[in-house]
């Protein structure tokens, strides 16, 4: 990029040159796109493996074909989705009419092939490979952190190579601390190169390399002795042996001593599936080892390590009530009755619209649903809002208006896309999984990525076209033909007009009318274009979907729409005020002006997120806060109750693509209650007798009442991700500054990440945002 | 800089084709080259159809001189005619196989012969760019070749519209930096792409997916140096110089315990015994012969009883070894075979790229075992263990380097087992150190 | 600081290849020829010029045995001991050099003039025993030839280096 280009507001920056080797199976990890291209369209291939006939897609490697009929061929360097290596030679098989043994991981199936995976020749070869691997490998499984889940240990068990003929001195090297979260032990390393590839091909970080050569080969980090990277920890996850270990987990326990519960990560809006491993009511590890979610094995640093805020000793564990200007511990009973009494008082004196409610984008759908019901029917006000981080309302409104609610793109759609248009967001930091899916689409499916963004971003490395603009909104206007189009935008428009089924991903830079314009234009692109609005945090989308908004009821039904009101009123047996309430900005203005006298805040820290001054909040007659931590907002509250974290409750969350998934309770934290329990109890204080015994009861009501949420419950309960397709008539966005991303980094997620030791221990987290990647 | 006398003491038995200009003063300069039939073959080739050039080379029986001995014309014919990506010609001048030093005089004394060969190859597969990958240690040769390339550009033999034919071709040298493995063709391609010299999984073969993903032919310096002569004099003439399926002559590097070490150009199929006795003047100092490595250190050793073999690819293979790279290393009666095995194992352990398990771990194991053994700390099981380790490497590695390490070891463990036993019995090496024997 | 001449050479070399990163090894070699080893600065500069991340350059340095991260002696004496040389006394030549210079494999004399290395086959088998001093070949070696050469290099080196 020339100096002149970088200054131009409309500079087209084309893809940098890189090795052009699509489809070349080769062992070197540095080249992109080395996986064989399975071609499901081509004619099926039939072959015989161990006497079984197998029919599979052309381009399939033998090792996968064997797996399809339940034949497990051992392998170390082979890893599905990563480039082929042919390095460990464990997967050797004999193929009739071929002289030498062949590696099943690199051999492409062909018609009539006859393969034996279990002959003596094959078994002996595998045993020989194990013997080679063990020459320099310590034989101390009982003290190794990987013991019990080590792929090398398993194979030795199966093929037997434990007795040693190796009389030479083993090469020794001290263990290295690559970062506070990643440790490397060379003697245990079998050089399968999975870590290098997952970091290069999966993450496009390239933090790993190989040092020296031959028997001295060693995995090296990119900054001398240390890693400087996104710290996603995927390298640890894919390591088949105990060479790469986790700084938060190592030597704490044994895999068989933990219980594993699949749930959804609570940090960003992508909704990665994670398996929490628990012992003694403590989370010890998170990964997605069974690859059950749409994230496959992917988790970012927050997902893999950042759960430790749950275990933080700064968690609130008892309600706190202000007495004599001091917050003091109290009972749940006292906290809730005090809150009810004060609120009743204020409503009696100043009317229900003097009270406002701020919801959370971390809590469950059921809790959000109850929260707005609580505000609307018990407090009697539509003054309910939350920190909106993406404009879901406008997307829903635009798609509904165009009768195109089949055009919500899922996380899988991003992965499978052949063409992606990304506008006004840097997913690498704010949506690590979206970034991952985009990279995989480019690497594995040759997708073209088009970017329109004001800032430089790492995904530019994958982009076919990167358009640096001053204002994404203006660019969209020009693309859609309402503003002046630069030649560069013309090029983009032309390139997109040649694509099919483009997935349009946009961030908070686009709001209100701009979203409407983008969708309207996007729908004119060839094929079935689909859309993703990006919003931060685990349940931003759910908060909007559930109507934690002043002007829409659950499912984006306008408050002003009498029919919609009537539908919910009959479900709830209570009246809903007909006037839209105050939005978040108007609530804070109301506090300033004295019109808002009481505020309830659930799982949110407006002092930080909205920059509301604590003095402003002090003007309130009553402030109620439910939270995990003593945040800046909680500090000025009159009543604070300790809430349960995502790991301590059940419920559902909806990711930024609108895919709903279940949270599973994995543990309990003494003294805390979930927002569900808090709301039900609080409602009872007001004399309401809500019919919900569990959050599942609420979910059933949501399924019945919320447009677009009529999902099959069983699919959810077995751990699936089900796409929702909201349909509604939300009023236009009142003001643009209601929508803003928190600009979290890879190592922050609002207030909760401040209580994560793991995230705060990282050198990368200390560097200014955006200076590393 | 090598001095010519050392490399070509000359023998009346030689048949000089590619070495015919060696010894002519200033033979590396384009003027001298042009005076001696230079670039005539190119001119002729440019008048032929590319396919006819390929067929001519195929029919000449020219087999790759880099080691594997694959028919060169056949290899070229695998290059797809249509390709969306550029095609490349790569000349393998990585010459690193111990015992081999024949590409050196070819580049030193006749670089234009090589350039002409590359040009003809490029025309035959319709490529427009070539690279000469020269091992890093051969810096002075790179300078010589660079100068020759410059001359060829200046005279219009390289560049655009060569000799008015419309054929364009660019050529440059590329330096290696010390890695034997980069002589393996796919490792060479990775190295040329700026990566570590790790080999690639085959198939696809480079002729289909090679450098930068384009169809690529890779040939040894000597192979390509033969091409102009084949085009100029015809396939039949060339084929007749050698034996069936083994056309032409080849450069043999006689080294080790031999009276007159040197690079000699002899017809394919020349008897090994005569090569040692008549061409090389017999074993140095009139000693008895113990064995011969017939084609570089990766070949199984032949014992003194096994040297009645014709030096062509097929005959040497039948005798249980390989013609390889033409490095004939003579071992005399005072040679410790355990030491030879150890030194060769050390080489392969040092040069293993470390990519695949059996080679990375196996070569190191072999080296350590043999080093310990030779130092007198051997145990009885070592011979069987060592043999087994070598057999476990054989045929299981990603590239042939593993085999190259295993084969000499296997041959020595098997054919010279008594020497290992002798070491064990004495608890030390029974052989004297070498005194430096060249005056 | 890399010299302007070197930078110009970099540009010329990079331009030869369809893919810039192809130039990594040649650039490293020429940088090393100028600086004496591969410096951090050279790594950064080369990575920047060929548009790769520095780790990829570092990986190459580790792989290729002629590339060094530490300065060597002004004269790097590389003695081959592989088979052809072994059979003609290569190991003894190495030992002789080692005694003469008082340093072992991969060591440098305190005055920084010489370093010694046992290397693999140099492609001088027919002139065994052989060695290279920097890029220059010396063949058919004897202890006497070595002595004379080292003396010559010592006086050359003393003359040229201030
Ligand atoms: C480990 C290894 C090292 C090799 N080294 C060289 C070499 O230095 N020079 C060479 O010409 N061929 C070498 N080869 C052979 C090449 O892979 C390849 O066969 C050759 O360049 C093809 O050219 P040709 O057909 O003209 O012989 C080597 C092969 C292996 C397996
Ligand atoms: S056999 Fe394996 S380790 Fe050895 S050089 Fe070839 S790929 Fe590298
Ligand atoms: S899995 Fe096939 S070689 Fe490693």
């Amino acid at each position: 990029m020339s100096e002149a280009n970088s200054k131009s507001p409309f500079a087209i920056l084309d893809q940098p040159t890189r090795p052009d080797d699509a489809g070349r199976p080769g062992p070197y990890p540095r080249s992109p796109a080395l996986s064989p291209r399975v071609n499901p369209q081509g004619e099926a291939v039939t072959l015989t493996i161990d006497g079984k006939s197998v029919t599979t897609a052309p381009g399939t490697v033998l090792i996968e074909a064997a797996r399809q009929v339940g034949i497990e061929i051992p392998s170390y360097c082979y890893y599905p989705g990563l480039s082929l290596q042919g390095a460990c030679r464990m997967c050797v098989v004999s193929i009739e009419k071929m002289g030498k043994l062949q590696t099943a991981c690199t051999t492409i199936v062909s018609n009539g092939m006859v393969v034996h995976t279990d002959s003596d020749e094959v078994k002996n070869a595998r045993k020989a490979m194990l013997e080679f691997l063990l020459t320099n490998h310590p034989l101390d499984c009982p003290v190794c952190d990987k013991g019990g889940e080590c792929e090398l240990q398993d194979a030795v068990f199966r093929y037997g190579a434990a007795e040693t003929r190796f009389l030479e001195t083993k090469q020794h090297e001290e263990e290295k601390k690559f970062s506070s979260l990643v440790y490397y032990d060379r003697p245990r390393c079998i050089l399968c190169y999975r870590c290098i590839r997952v970091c290069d091909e999966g993450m496009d970080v390239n933090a790993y390399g190989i040092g020296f050569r031959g028997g001295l080969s060693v995995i090296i980090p990119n900054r001398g002795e240390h890693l400087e990277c996104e710290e996603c920890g995927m390298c640890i996850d894919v390591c088949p042996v105990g060479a790469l270990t986790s700084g938060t987990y190592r030597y704490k326990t044994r895999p068989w001593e933990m219980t594993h519960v699949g749930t959804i990560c609570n940090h960003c809006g992508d909704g990665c599936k994670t398996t929490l491993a628990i012992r003694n009511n403590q989370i010890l590890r998170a990964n997605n080892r069974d690859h059950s979610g749409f994230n496959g094995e992917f988790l970012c640093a927050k997902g893999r390590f950042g759960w430790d805020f749950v275990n933080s000793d700064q968690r609130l564990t008892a309600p706190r009530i202000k007495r004599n200007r001091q917050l003091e511990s109290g009972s749940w009973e006292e906290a809730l009755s005090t809150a009810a009494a004060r609120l009743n008082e204020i409503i009696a004196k100043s009317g229900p619209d003097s009270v406002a409610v701020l919801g959370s984008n971390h809590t469950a759908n059921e809790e959000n649903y109850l929260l707005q019901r609580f505000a609307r029917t018990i407090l009697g006000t539509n003054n309910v809002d939350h920190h909106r981080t993406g404009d879901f309302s406008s997307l829903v409104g635009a798609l509904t208006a165009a009768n195109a609610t089949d055009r919500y793109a899922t996380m899988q759609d991003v992965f499978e896309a052949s063409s992606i248009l990304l506008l006004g967001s840097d997913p690498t930091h704010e949506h690590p999984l979206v970034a991952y899916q985009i990279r995989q689409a480019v690497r594995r499916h040759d997708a073209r990525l088009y970017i329109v963004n004001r800032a430089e971003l790492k995904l530019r490395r994958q982009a076919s076209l990167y358009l640096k603009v001053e204002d994404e909104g203006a660019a969209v206007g020009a693309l859609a033909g309402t503003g002046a189009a630069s030649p560069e935008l013309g090029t983009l428009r032309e390139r997109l007009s040649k694509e099919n089924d483009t997935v349009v991903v946009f961030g908070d830079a686009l709001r209100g009318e701009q979203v409407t314009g983008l969708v309207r234009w996007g729908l004119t692109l060839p094929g079935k274009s689909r859309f993703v609005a990006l919003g931060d945090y685990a349940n931003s989308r759910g908060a909007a979907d559930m109507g934690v908004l002043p002007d829409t009821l659950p499912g984006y039904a306008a408050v002003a729409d009498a029919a919609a009101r009537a539908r919910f009123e009959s479900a709830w047996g209570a009246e809903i005020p007909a006037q839209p309430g105050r939005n978040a900005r108007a609530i804070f203005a109301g506090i300033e002006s004295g019109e808002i006298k009481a505020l309830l805040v659930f799982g949110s820290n407006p002092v930080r997120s909205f920059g509301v001054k604590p003095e402003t909040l002090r003007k309130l007659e009553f402030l109620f806060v439910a939270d995990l931590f003593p945040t800046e907002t909680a500090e000025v509250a009159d009543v604070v109750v300790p809430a349960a974290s995502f790991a301590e409750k059940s419920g559902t969350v909806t990711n930024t693509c609108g895919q709903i998934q279940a949270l599973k309770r994995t543990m309990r934290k003494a003294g805390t209650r979930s927002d569900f329990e808090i709301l039900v109890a609080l409602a009872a204080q007001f004399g309401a007798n809500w019919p919900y015994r569990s959050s599942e009861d609420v979910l059933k009501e949501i399924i019945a009442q919320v447009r677009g949420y009529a999902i099959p419950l069983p699919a959810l309960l077995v751990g699936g991700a089900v796409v929702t397709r909201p349909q509604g008539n939300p009023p236009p966005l009142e003001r643009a500054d209601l929508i803003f991303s928190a600009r979290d980094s890879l190592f922050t997620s609002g207030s909760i990440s401040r209580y994560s030791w793991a995230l705060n221990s990282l050198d990368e987290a200390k560097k200014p945002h955006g200076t590393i990647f | 800089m090598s001095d010519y006398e050392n490399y070509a003491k000359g023998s009346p038995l030689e048949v000089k084709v590619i070495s015919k200009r060696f010894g002519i003063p200033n033979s590396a300069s384009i003027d001298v080259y042009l005076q001696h039939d230079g670039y005539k073959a190119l001119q002729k080739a440019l008048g032929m159809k590319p396919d006819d050039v390929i067929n001519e080379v195929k029919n000449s029986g020219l087999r790759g001189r880099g080691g594997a001995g694959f028919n060169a014309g056949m290899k070229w014919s695998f290059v797809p005619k249509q390709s969306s990506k550029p095609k490349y010609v790569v000349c393998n001048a990585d010459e690193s196989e111990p015992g081999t030093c024949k590409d050196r005089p070819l580049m030193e004394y006749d670089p234009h012969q090589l350039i002409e060969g590359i040009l003809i190859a490029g025309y035959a597969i319709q490529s427009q760019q070539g690279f000469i990958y020269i091992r890093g240690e051969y810096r002075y040769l790179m300078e010589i070749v660079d100068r020759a390339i410059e001359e060829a550009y200046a005279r219009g033999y390289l560049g655009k519209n060569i000799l008015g034919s419309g054929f364009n071709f660019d050529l440059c040298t590329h330096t290696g930096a010390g890695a034997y493995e980069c002589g393996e063709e796919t490792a060479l391609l990775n190295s040329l792409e700026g990566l570590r010299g790790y080999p690639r999984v085959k198939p696809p073969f480079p002729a289909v997916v090679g450098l930068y993903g384009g169809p690529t032919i890779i040939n040894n310096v000597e192979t390509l140096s033969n091409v102009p002569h084949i085009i100029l004099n015809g396939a039949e003439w060339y084929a007749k110089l050698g034996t069936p399926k083994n056309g032409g002559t080849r450069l043999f590097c006689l080294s080790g315990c031999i009276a007159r070490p040197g690079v000699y150009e002899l017809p394919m199929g020349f008897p090994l015994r005569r090569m040692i006795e008549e061409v090389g003047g017999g074993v140095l100092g009139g000693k008895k012969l113990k064995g011969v490595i017939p084609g570089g250190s990766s070949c199984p050793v032949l014992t003194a009883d096994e040297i009645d073999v014709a030096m062509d690819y097929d005959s040497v293979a039948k005798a249980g070894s390989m013609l390889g790279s033409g490095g004939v290393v003579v071992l005399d009666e005072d040679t410790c075979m355990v030491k030879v095995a150890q030194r060769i194992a050390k080489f392969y352990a040092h040069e293993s790229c470390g990519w695949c398990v059996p080679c990375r771990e196996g070569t190191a194991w072999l080296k350590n075992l043999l080093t310990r053994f030779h130092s007198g700390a051997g145990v009885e099981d070592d011979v069987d263990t060592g043999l087994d380790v070598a057999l476990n490497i054989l045929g299981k590695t990603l590239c042939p380097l593993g085999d190259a390490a295993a084969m000499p070891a296997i041959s020595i463990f098997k054919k010279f087992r008594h020497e290992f036993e002798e070491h064990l019995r004495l608890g030390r090496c029974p052989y004297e150190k070498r005194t430096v024997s060249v005056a | 600081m890399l010299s302007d001449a070197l930078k110009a050479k970099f540009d010329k070399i990079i331009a030869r290849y369809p893919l810039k990163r192809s130039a990594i090894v040649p650039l490293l070699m020429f940088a090393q020829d100028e600086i004496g080893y591969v410096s951090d600065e050279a790594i950064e500069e080369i990575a920047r010029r060929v548009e790769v991340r520095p780790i990829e350059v570092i990986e190459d340095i580790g792989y290729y045995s002629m590339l060094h991260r530490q300065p060597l002696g002004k004269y790097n004496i590389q003695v081959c001991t592989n088979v052809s040389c072994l059979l003609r006394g290569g190991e003894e030549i190495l030992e002789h050099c080692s005694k003469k210079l008082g340093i072992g494999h991969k060591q440098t004399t305190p005055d920084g003039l010489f370093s010694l290395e046992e290397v693999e086959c140099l492609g001088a088998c027919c002139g065994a025993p052989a060695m290279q001093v920097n890029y220059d070949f010396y063949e058919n070696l004897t202890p006497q030839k070595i002595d004379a050469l080292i003396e010559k290099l010592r006086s050359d080196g003393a003359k040229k280096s201030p």
Side-chain angles (χ1 to χ4, degrees), chain A residues 20 24-25 27-28 30 85 87 89 106 128-129 131-132 135-136 165-166 168 190-191 193 210 212-214, chain B residues 85 178 195-196 198-200 212 350-358 360-361 365 372 388 392 396-397:
Chain A
D20 183 7
R24 180 186 83 197
Y28 202 77
R30 286 292 174 246
Q85 313 288 286
R89 319 304 284 177
T106 61
M129 295 311 116
E131 185 182 29
F132 283 138
T135 54
N136 280 304
R165 301 187 284 174
F166 185 75
E168 324 311 321
I190 59 171
L191 293 168
Y193 318 118
I210 308 173
F212 307 114
R213 73 169 183 224
Chain B
K85 290 182 180 164
L195 303 166
R196 289 164 67 92
Y198 287 136
R200 297 177 181 175
Y212 311 124
H350 186 258
E351 298 302 334
S352 165
C353 76
W355 184 259
C356 74
V357 169
R360 179 180 69 234
E361 305 297 336
W365 189 351
R372 176 172 50 77
D388 225 35
N392 281 342
K396 296 179 195 71
T397 53

Side-chain angles (χ1 to χ4, degrees), chain A residues 63 74-78 85-92 103-106:
Chain A
I63 195 168
S75 60
Y76 294 120
C77 67
Y78 176 73
Q85 313 288 286
C88 73
R89 319 304 284 177
M90 261 313 272
C91 66
V92 284
T103 44
C105 69
T106 61

